[in-house]
Amino acid sequence: MSNGSVFHGVLSRAPRRPAAGAAALFLAVGVLTACSGEPGGPAARRDDARGPVAASSPAAPPPRQRPQPSEPSGAPPWSAPAESPASAPSPQDAPQAADGPLKGKVVVVDPGHNVHNSEHTAEINRQVDIGNGRKECDTTGTETDAGYAEAAFSLDVAHRLRALLRARGATVTLTHDGDRPWGPCVTERADIGNKAHGDAAVSIHADGAAVGQRGFHVILPAQVHAGRADTSAIVGPSKELGARIAGNFVRSTGTPASNYVGGGTGLDTRGDLGGLNLSVIPKVFIECGNMKDPRDAASLTDASWREKAAQGIADGITDFLRG
């Protein structure tokens, strides 16, 4: 299995605000060294690297009324802003705000996978063109050992993120809202964002790596120019978007940067993801934690932590869009 591309370099623009909170811990050490909704990542990174989860293990809905606890060095090229923009804490859908700091902006939110994908293996396993190769339409995603599905997690965080962004005046487009029997394919997810003329897009995921491999990472698009894929116009702004999200995510959640991807930076660059390859708007993926690690799983299954995760992502998008 091919390894993801390793990212070297710094942001195209210097961070506009000083580091704050937990992010400062990462800024103090080391140097920059360096699943996404699609298969083909590094070995032991997530279910996508191993291929789709078997259809005999369907994604389960979030557990109800089950209490959960909450919770390597490098020099990440991001910093958290000193202040968090105003937000609405409700995870429920909110009416479109008439005004706010993101008035006139369009944000595309892509909840990774679909809880019904395992019931439609023929459809999701068919090959689609991602520009520089062919891959499965979609995958089933991973799940915690207790059966909490990545697809359920990603949709929950997407709903919370939508409410926060709408409260700030943004127009929010979801690639799906749990209202489809399967998919959409990774190609369609990219097309939805492109047709919405989004100012920024984020695909929400959780990883499926080995126990002991912990933390979040943000995946940035690599330079890809093949077939109908051309990321040259979005690599720079996507790098900044990813750095803003990473800095705010660690500050909001207290979750460390991945200890197994990105060399402690919380950032990774890949050219094998159709959702990034085919996007013409700034876009990143975020792997919010490792569902197979008990400590990360405790956070991912905690509703209050998921609200903090949505807050961090929203703050990063807001910081990016406000310039």
Side-chain angles (χ1 to χ4, degrees):
M1 303 173 192
S2 60
N3 288 331
S5 302
V6 178
F7 168 68
H8 295 276
V10 295
L11 285 177
S12 57
R13 293 202 300 233
R16 292 179 291 278
R17 301 179 186 175
L25 297 176
F26 297 103
L27 291 170
V29 291
V31 294
L32 175 64
T33 56
C35 113
S36 58
E38 303 162 44
R45 282 181 57 176
R46 60 168 291 112
D47 60 292
D48 296 329
R50 302 188 297 272
V53 174
S56 59
S57 300
R64 299 180 186 232
Q65 299 181 341
R66 184 179 64 184
Q68 296 286 346
S70 299
E71 285 259 276
S73 69
W78 41 258
S79 61
E83 298 180 359
S84 169
S87 63
S90 172
Q92 302 303 319
D93 191 14
Q96 185 66 48
D99 205 351
L102 298 184
K103 182 179 180 180
K105 300 296 185 180
V106 177
V107 180
V108 179
V109 178
D110 177 29
H113 311 288
N114 183 318
V115 293
H116 300 296
N117 275 357
S118 60
E119 302 164 14
H120 297 273
T121 55
E123 290 88 347
I124 68 168
N125 285 336
R126 70 182 178 86
Q127 298 285 298
V128 296
D129 184 2
I130 65 167
N132 59 357
R134 298 185 68 82
K135 296 182 71 172
E136 289 89 342
C137 157
D138 201 7
T139 67
T140 58
T142 188
E143 63 182 17
T144 66
D145 289 344
Y148 181 37
E150 179 189 0
F153 166 83
S154 65
L155 188 59
D156 178 89
V157 174
H159 285 162
R160 297 170 186 272
L161 178 59
R162 176 174 61 183
L164 291 166
L165 293 171
R166 281 181 170 177
R168 300 175 190 186
T171 297
V172 181
T173 297
L174 297 185
T175 59
H176 75 97
D177 198 8
D179 51 355
R180 297 174 57 125
W182 55 272
C185 292
V186 296
T187 49
E188 184 181 355
R189 291 171 187 265
D191 288 343
I192 290 169
N194 295 341
K195 291 174 181 176
H197 303 290
D199 296 288
V202 60
S203 188
I204 301 169
H205 294 269
D207 216 343
V211 173
Q213 295 183 329
R214 299 192 59 217
F216 79 93
H217 63 278
V218 179
I219 303 174
L220 315 174
Q223 286 278 1
V224 175
H225 191 182
R228 70 184 186 99
D230 184 358
T231 62
S232 56
I234 70 164
V235 166
S238 295
K239 184 194 303 183
E240 183 169 355
L241 171 63
R244 300 302 171 195
I245 289 176
N248 281 279
F249 192 85
V250 70
R251 181 190 55 76
S252 180
T253 65
T255 299
S258 170
N259 63 7
Y260 63 102
V261 174
T265 67
L267 302 176
D268 187 30
T269 301
R270 291 176 62 176
D272 64 327
L273 303 178
L276 295 181
N277 288 0
L278 301 176
S279 180
V280 299
I281 64 176
K283 184 175 182 179
V284 299
F285 283 40
I286 181 167
E287 299 281 5
C288 297
N290 176 17
M291 289 195 132
K292 295 302 184 182
D293 179 81
R295 288 181 293 177
D296 274 9
S299 295
L300 296 165
T301 54
D302 179 6
S304 64
W305 185 92
R306 294 195 299 272
E307 185 66 25
K308 294 176 183 177
Q311 179 78 51
I313 297 169
D315 289 351
I317 292 171
T318 300
D319 192 32
F320 170 74
L321 292 178
R322 292 178 76 177

